Amino acid sequence: DVKVTQSSRYLVKRTGEKVFLECVQDMDHENMFWYRQDPGLGLRLIYFSYDVKMKEKGDIPEGYSVSREKKERFSLILESASTNQTSMYLCASIRQGAGEQYFGPGTRLTVT
Amino acid sequence: GENVGLHLPTLSVQEGDNSIINCAYSNSASDYFIWYKQESGKGPQFIIDIRSNMDKRQGQRVTVLLNKTVKHLSLQIAATQPGDSAVYFCAEKTGGGNKLTFGTGTQLKVEL
């Protein structure tokens, strides 16, 4: 079974802090994604990566950056956390050419 | 628990009844569709998928119907069980890329 893990289930940070969210997948997938999920808005794509050191902006990249130094790991970085970044963050991965994305359990981030 | 159910349309069904969850997709060029299930506190899990060259696909207790004329997708769950209680959302893929566009979801509540 594909396994996508995220470093924290719950995280509380203060406004202005730098926040790192880590995601690891164990199936050698080329593509990895970061989404945020908010009530009534569904999943919105922040960034994705189709290879090591490659990244592309999704629909809502403002306020975020990403890092993909190794194939199995995709990090989401909030350079200076703000309260409007309080959300559920979901990581996903997919093999190139496949259909479904496999999701991690999510990180509930609260910025106070 | 998770608040992903806020502001979502809700479908309430009796245990043992059949459930039908609907989704209107946006892009007539989309060629691949997925249904995901998200239980409280968990990441989305793949249920079933369908390609645009099909109009029906069956899995175990689930059936997906695709009507390309009206850009409509439905998920039918037979003999709904309490464990089916979750948020369900559809996703569409357009072209050869790996990005998915997600719907906002429907909360399914199974009443005993």
Side-chain angles (χ1 to χ4, degrees):
Chain A
D1 276 353
V2 175
K3 196 164 186 183
V4 181
T5 57
Q6 295 183 228
S7 50
S8 304
R9 293 301 306 276
Y10 299 93
L11 211 51
V12 180
K13 296 292 182 180
R14 294 192 181 275
T15 301
E17 279 193 82
K18 190 169 186 176
V19 181
F20 293 87
L21 302 182
E22 304 285 340
C23 175
V24 178
Q25 50 94 4
D26 66 357
M27 283 301 290
D28 204 37
H29 286 172
E30 295 85 356
N31 302 279
M32 297 186 74
F33 303 80
W34 274 107
Y35 297 90
R36 63 177 284 176
Q37 185 177 32
D38 300 288
L41 297 177
L43 272 72
R44 293 181 291 166
L45 181 63
I46 304 171
Y47 267 97
F48 65 103
S49 168
Y50 52 88
D51 203 350
V52 175
K53 297 194 185 295
M54 306 302 287
K55 61 184 180 183
E56 285 200 24
K57 293 180 179 179
D59 301 318
I60 51 163
E62 297 79 19
Y64 304 94
S65 62
V66 289
S67 173
R68 184 112 182 258
E69 295 297 318
K70 293 184 178 182
K71 192 174 186 180
E72 67 271 17
R73 188 180 296 270
F74 191 35
S75 303
L76 180 69
I77 304 154
L78 287 65
E79 294 289 342
S80 177
S82 63
T83 54
N84 64 9
Q85 292 178 309
T86 291
S87 187
M88 167 69 88
Y89 289 88
L90 289 162
C91 174
S93 74
I94 184 174
R95 179 175 49 83
Q96 185 64 30
E100 64 180 283
Q101 293 182 9
Y102 294 88
F103 283 87
T107 296
R108 168 68 64 184
L109 173 66
T110 302
V111 183
T112 61
Chain B
E2 296 299 331
N3 65 353
V4 295
L6 288 176
H7 313 303
L8 291 177
T10 299
L11 174 66
S12 294
V13 299
Q14 293 290 320
E15 182 180 5
D17 286 352
N18 297 332
S19 303
I20 300 176
I21 301 170
N22 297 303
C23 175
Y25 63 91
S26 57
N27 192 336
S28 57
S30 293
D31 56 6
Y32 177 74
F33 305 88
I34 305 178
W35 278 100
Y36 281 95
K37 172 186 180 183
Q38 187 176 23
E39 296 175 273
S40 182
K42 297 184 179 179
Q45 289 179 286
F46 170 86
I47 303 173
I48 192 168
D49 58 2
I50 188 168
R51 299 201 176 275
S52 58
N53 61 354
M54 304 171 67
D55 53 20
K56 180 179 180 178
R57 190 162 188 229
Q58 287 185 289
Q60 191 175 21
R61 271 199 319 118
V62 295
T63 300
V64 55
L65 299 177
L66 175 62
N67 185 330
K68 293 182 287 292
T69 303
V70 294
K71 293 190 287 186
H72 183 268
L73 200 63
S74 69
L75 176 71
Q76 299 179 1
I77 304 173
T80 312
Q81 302 168 1
D84 295 326
S85 293
V87 175
Y88 291 81
F89 46 91
C90 64
E92 60 185 297
K93 187 161 76 169
T94 307
N98 293 293
K99 289 171 61 177
L100 294 173
T101 301
F102 292 86
T104 54
T106 297
Q107 175 83 54
L108 176 65
K109 293 186 177 179
V110 181
E111 297 169 349
L112 303 177

mmCIF file of all heavy atoms in Angstrom, chain B residues 85-104:
data_model
loop_
_atom_site.group_PDB
_atom_site.id
_atom_site.type_symbol
_atom_site.label_atom_id
_atom_site.label_comp_id
_atom_site.label_asym_id
_atom_site.label_seq_id
_atom_site.Cartn_x
_atom_site.Cartn_y
_atom_site.Cartn_z
ATOM 1 N N SER B 85 -20.516 7.039 6.560
ATOM 2 C CA SER B 85 -20.647 8.445 6.958
ATOM 3 C C SER B 85 -19.311 9.155 6.768
ATOM 4 O O SER B 85 -18.290 8.745 7.332
ATOM 5 C CB SER B 85 -21.089 8.555 8.415
ATOM 6 O OG SER B 85 -22.398 8.069 8.591
ATOM 7 N N ALA B 86 -19.318 10.187 5.953
ATOM 8 C CA ALA B 86 -18.080 10.893 5.603
ATOM 9 C C ALA B 86 -18.428 12.042 4.671
ATOM 10 O O ALA B 86 -19.584 12.222 4.296
ATOM 11 C CB ALA B 86 -17.094 9.946 4.901
ATOM 12 N N VAL B 87 -17.419 12.795 4.301
ATOM 13 C CA VAL B 87 -17.548 13.775 3.223
ATOM 14 C C VAL B 87 -17.064 13.116 1.934
ATOM 15 O O VAL B 87 -16.008 12.476 1.905
ATOM 16 C CB VAL B 87 -16.723 15.043 3.507
ATOM 17 C CG1 VAL B 87 -16.764 15.995 2.310
ATOM 18 C CG2 VAL B 87 -17.243 15.746 4.754
ATOM 19 N N TYR B 88 -17.861 13.262 0.890
ATOM 20 C CA TYR B 88 -17.505 12.697 -0.414
ATOM 21 C C TYR B 88 -17.313 13.834 -1.400
ATOM 22 O O TYR B 88 -18.136 14.751 -1.468
ATOM 23 C CB TYR B 88 -18.620 11.777 -0.919
ATOM 24 C CG TYR B 88 -18.742 10.513 -0.102
ATOM 25 C CD1 TYR B 88 -19.424 10.513 1.108
ATOM 26 C CD2 TYR B 88 -18.160 9.329 -0.536
ATOM 27 C CE1 TYR B 88 -19.520 9.351 1.877
ATOM 28 C CE2 TYR B 88 -18.253 8.168 0.215
ATOM 29 C CZ TYR B 88 -18.936 8.195 1.422
ATOM 30 O OH TYR B 88 -19.021 7.043 2.175
ATOM 31 N N PHE B 89 -16.234 13.774 -2.157
ATOM 32 C CA PHE B 89 -16.077 14.766 -3.199
ATOM 33 C C PHE B 89 -15.489 14.176 -4.460
ATOM 34 O O PHE B 89 -14.758 13.188 -4.430
ATOM 35 C CB PHE B 89 -15.300 16.003 -2.742
ATOM 36 C CG PHE B 89 -14.048 15.728 -1.975
ATOM 37 C CD1 PHE B 89 -12.852 15.601 -2.644
ATOM 38 C CD2 PHE B 89 -14.058 15.638 -0.602
ATOM 39 C CE1 PHE B 89 -11.683 15.382 -1.951
ATOM 40 C CE2 PHE B 89 -12.888 15.410 0.099
ATOM 41 C CZ PHE B 89 -11.703 15.279 -0.580
ATOM 42 N N CYS B 90 -15.869 14.816 -5.549
ATOM 43 C CA CYS B 90 -15.399 14.379 -6.847
ATOM 44 C C CYS B 90 -14.205 15.218 -7.261
ATOM 45 O O CYS B 90 -13.976 16.302 -6.721
ATOM 46 C CB CYS B 90 -16.507 14.495 -7.900
ATOM 47 S SG CYS B 90 -17.057 16.175 -8.220
ATOM 48 N N ALA B 91 -13.446 14.689 -8.186
ATOM 49 C CA ALA B 91 -12.316 15.413 -8.750
ATOM 50 C C ALA B 91 -12.239 15.107 -10.233
ATOM 51 O O ALA B 91 -12.612 14.022 -10.673
ATOM 52 C CB ALA B 91 -11.011 15.025 -8.061
ATOM 53 N N GLU B 92 -11.773 16.077 -11.000
ATOM 54 C CA GLU B 92 -11.644 15.900 -12.436
ATOM 55 C C GLU B 92 -10.219 16.215 -12.873
ATOM 56 O O GLU B 92 -9.545 17.049 -12.263
ATOM 57 C CB GLU B 92 -12.636 16.803 -13.187
ATOM 58 C CG GLU B 92 -12.452 18.285 -12.916
ATOM 59 C CD GLU B 92 -13.522 19.148 -13.570
ATOM 60 O OE1 GLU B 92 -13.604 19.166 -14.816
ATOM 61 O OE2 GLU B 92 -14.266 19.821 -12.817
ATOM 62 N N LYS B 93 -9.801 15.541 -13.933
ATOM 63 C CA LYS B 93 -8.484 15.792 -14.497
ATOM 64 C C LYS B 93 -8.654 16.120 -15.972
ATOM 65 O O LYS B 93 -9.442 15.473 -16.670
ATOM 66 C CB LYS B 93 -7.572 14.594 -14.338
ATOM 67 C CG LYS B 93 -6.137 14.857 -14.762
ATOM 68 C CD LYS B 93 -5.168 13.846 -14.188
ATOM 69 C CE LYS B 93 -5.228 12.528 -14.876
ATOM 70 N NZ LYS B 93 -4.100 11.648 -14.484
ATOM 71 N N THR B 94 -7.903 17.104 -16.408
ATOM 72 C CA THR B 94 -8.006 17.549 -17.797
ATOM 73 C C THR B 94 -6.676 17.363 -18.482
ATOM 74 O O THR B 94 -5.641 17.791 -17.960
ATOM 75 C CB THR B 94 -8.421 19.036 -17.863
ATOM 76 O OG1 THR B 94 -9.604 19.217 -17.080
ATOM 77 C CG2 THR B 94 -8.687 19.457 -19.290
ATOM 78 N N GLY B 95 -6.672 16.720 -19.624
ATOM 79 C CA GLY B 95 -5.457 16.578 -20.398
ATOM 80 C C GLY B 95 -4.497 15.580 -19.786
ATOM 81 O O GLY B 95 -4.870 14.767 -18.940
ATOM 82 N N GLY B 96 -3.217 15.655 -20.178
ATOM 83 C CA GLY B 96 -2.253 14.655 -19.756
ATOM 84 C C GLY B 96 -1.535 14.947 -18.461
ATOM 85 O O GLY B 96 -0.687 14.174 -18.038
ATOM 86 N N GLY B 97 -1.871 16.036 -17.805
ATOM 87 C CA GLY B 97 -1.166 16.374 -16.570
ATOM 88 C C GLY B 97 -1.641 15.565 -15.392
ATOM 89 O O GLY B 97 -2.468 14.656 -15.524
ATOM 90 N N ASN B 98 -1.115 15.873 -14.239
ATOM 91 C CA ASN B 98 -1.446 15.141 -13.018
ATOM 92 C C ASN B 98 -2.267 15.952 -12.032
ATOM 93 O O ASN B 98 -2.555 15.490 -10.943
ATOM 94 C CB ASN B 98 -0.162 14.674 -12.334
ATOM 95 C CG ASN B 98 0.563 13.644 -13.157
ATOM 96 O OD1 ASN B 98 0.080 12.537 -13.339
ATOM 97 N ND2 ASN B 98 1.712 14.018 -13.683
ATOM 98 N N LYS B 99 -2.654 17.163 -12.407
ATOM 99 C CA LYS B 99 -3.412 18.001 -11.494
ATOM 100 C C LYS B 99 -4.876 17.599 -11.500
ATOM 101 O O LYS B 99 -5.445 17.257 -12.538
ATOM 102 C CB LYS B 99 -3.284 19.465 -11.905
ATOM 103 C CG LYS B 99 -1.915 20.064 -11.663
ATOM 104 C CD LYS B 99 -1.793 21.439 -12.279
ATOM 105 C CE LYS B 99 -2.780 22.414 -11.713
ATOM 106 N NZ LYS B 99 -2.608 23.778 -12.281
ATOM 107 N N LEU B 100 -5.468 17.649 -10.300
ATOM 108 C CA LEU B 100 -6.891 17.387 -10.152
ATOM 109 C C LEU B 100 -7.585 18.662 -9.675
ATOM 110 O O LEU B 100 -7.023 19.433 -8.911
ATOM 111 C CB LEU B 100 -7.141 16.288 -9.124
ATOM 112 C CG LEU B 100 -6.658 14.880 -9.468
ATOM 113 C CD1 LEU B 100 -6.822 13.960 -8.263
ATOM 114 C CD2 LEU B 100 -7.413 14.334 -10.667
ATOM 115 N N THR B 101 -8.810 18.855 -10.128
ATOM 116 C CA THR B 101 -9.664 19.937 -9.624
ATOM 117 C C THR B 101 -10.774 19.287 -8.819
ATOM 118 O O THR B 101 -11.485 18.413 -9.325
ATOM 119 C CB THR B 101 -10.255 20.755 -10.781
ATOM 120 O OG1 THR B 101 -9.188 21.308 -11.555
ATOM 121 C CG2 THR B 101 -11.117 21.881 -10.237
ATOM 122 N N PHE B 102 -10.915 19.729 -7.572
ATOM 123 C CA PHE B 102 -11.831 19.077 -6.648
ATOM 124 C C PHE B 102 -13.121 19.856 -6.486
ATOM 125 O O PHE B 102 -13.126 21.096 -6.477
ATOM 126 C CB PHE B 102 -11.163 18.936 -5.270
ATOM 127 C CG PHE B 102 -10.031 17.970 -5.263
ATOM 128 C CD1 PHE B 102 -8.750 18.373 -5.618
ATOM 129 C CD2 PHE B 102 -10.231 16.644 -4.901
ATOM 130 C CE1 PHE B 102 -7.690 17.473 -5.623
ATOM 131 C CE2 PHE B 102 -9.184 15.742 -4.896
ATOM 132 C CZ PHE B 102 -7.907 16.156 -5.257
ATOM 133 N N GLY B 103 -14.205 19.134 -6.307
ATOM 134 C CA GLY B 103 -15.458 19.733 -5.893
ATOM 135 C C GLY B 103 -15.412 20.029 -4.404
ATOM 136 O O GLY B 103 -14.480 19.654 -3.702
ATOM 137 N N THR B 104 -16.446 20.721 -3.917
ATOM 138 C CA THR B 104 -16.441 21.141 -2.514
ATOM 139 C C THR B 104 -16.930 20.058 -1.569
ATOM 140 O O THR B 104 -16.702 20.148 -0.375
ATOM 141 C CB THR B 104 -17.299 22.404 -2.327
ATOM 142 O OG1 THR B 104 -18.588 22.154 -2.857
ATOM 143 C CG2 THR B 104 -16.665 23.587 -3.036
#
